[in-house]
Amino acid sequence: YTDSCIVDDWWMLPIYWDAVSANKNDNTIFRSTADDFLSSTDTKPIFLIGDAGTDSQKSNKVVIDHGVIPIIAARANSVGEIIKKDSGNHFRGEYIPRMYHRLLGKLYDLRTTVERKNSNEVVGHHRSKMSNREIEQARIFVSIPNITALLTALTAFNVGRLDLIRLPSAFRRVSI
């Protein structure tokens, strides 16, 4: 099993997650996660960012159908209106309003937020040792560090220390 997670770009906090079978294609996982997340909330993001592994017409359409703009890197050999940025990234222009074309590089760079979150989780919470026995165990395993991140953020906000929102070790020695 592996995790599929949607992260807020402001605080790098998980806002939706699930454990999924690791033998599924990235496109299938992305479409399912995007659809489940966007169907579960009335508050929609403006953009949903994904890497080239999730690039397909269907993935872009799932996001568009929910009224959200997909910023999904396209493969260099993709068919259609492909926008090539100076950074070497490619995007499907037919899904992105023209007014955002100049911002694509900066928007796509927000994806590193997710990468940083994942590397924190793997190192800090031993996420590389996920159970592969049952889906429910995998969901619990994925949920614990995400819930811990949210509780850390709430605690930091409550004590007025916003600088500690993404610092899981900040409250280890607090006695209750």
Side-chain angles (χ1 to χ4, degrees):
Y1 295 98
T2 186
D3 71 321
S4 183
C5 186
I6 295 187
V7 179
D8 170 71
D9 72 317
W10 189 263
W11 292 107
M12 295 184 271
L13 293 172
I15 54 177
Y16 180 88
W17 65 85
D18 196 8
V20 294
S21 179
N23 65 355
K24 288 185 178 177
N25 179 285
D26 284 351
N27 277 303
T28 307
I29 293 171
F30 177 83
R31 286 193 300 268
S32 173
T33 301
D35 192 43
D36 290 349
F37 165 66
L38 294 169
S39 297
S40 71
T41 179
D42 290 332
T43 305
K44 306 278 189 232
I46 298 170
F47 307 105
L48 196 61
I49 302 171
D51 65 11
T54 61
D55 173 48
S56 73
Q57 300 284 355
K58 286 182 183 176
S59 292
N60 281 283
K61 184 146 178 33
V62 164
V63 177
I64 288 279
D65 286 349
H66 286 283
V68 178
I69 301 168
I71 308 294
I72 300 173
R75 294 173 186 86
N77 62 350
S78 295
V79 179
E81 181 191 337
I82 302 301
I83 301 167
K84 182 177 180 183
K85 300 307 289 179
D86 293 337
S87 61
N89 294 319
H90 300 77
F91 302 92
R92 294 181 184 271
E94 64 262 33
Y95 297 108
I96 304 167
R98 191 160 195 70
M99 63 192 275
Y100 296 112
H101 287 192
R102 286 189 6 231
L103 300 173
L104 282 174
K106 289 184 180 185
L107 289 169
Y108 189 66
D109 284 347
L110 293 174
R111 186 182 59 86
T112 59
T113 298
V114 175
E115 303 301 331
R116 261 186 263 122
K117 177 209 172 280
N118 285 341
S119 92
N120 259 354
E121 303 291 319
V122 168
V123 172
H125 300 290
H126 305 291
R127 288 277 294 277
S128 58
K129 299 183 192 278
M130 183 184 295
S131 169
N132 60 1
R133 302 232 180 242
E134 294 179 26
I135 187 69
E136 286 308 312
Q137 288 179 346
R139 284 188 174 124
I140 291 168
F141 193 82
V142 167
S143 295
I144 289 172
N146 287 325
I147 291 169
T148 302
L150 294 172
L151 289 173
T152 300
L154 287 171
T155 304
F157 181 81
N158 193 38
V159 298
R161 294 285 312 273
L162 300 184
D163 59 314
L164 302 178
I165 282 181
R166 284 295 299 156
L167 194 62
S169 63
F171 303 103
R172 281 191 180 152
R173 295 192 181 129
V174 174
S175 58
I176 299 173

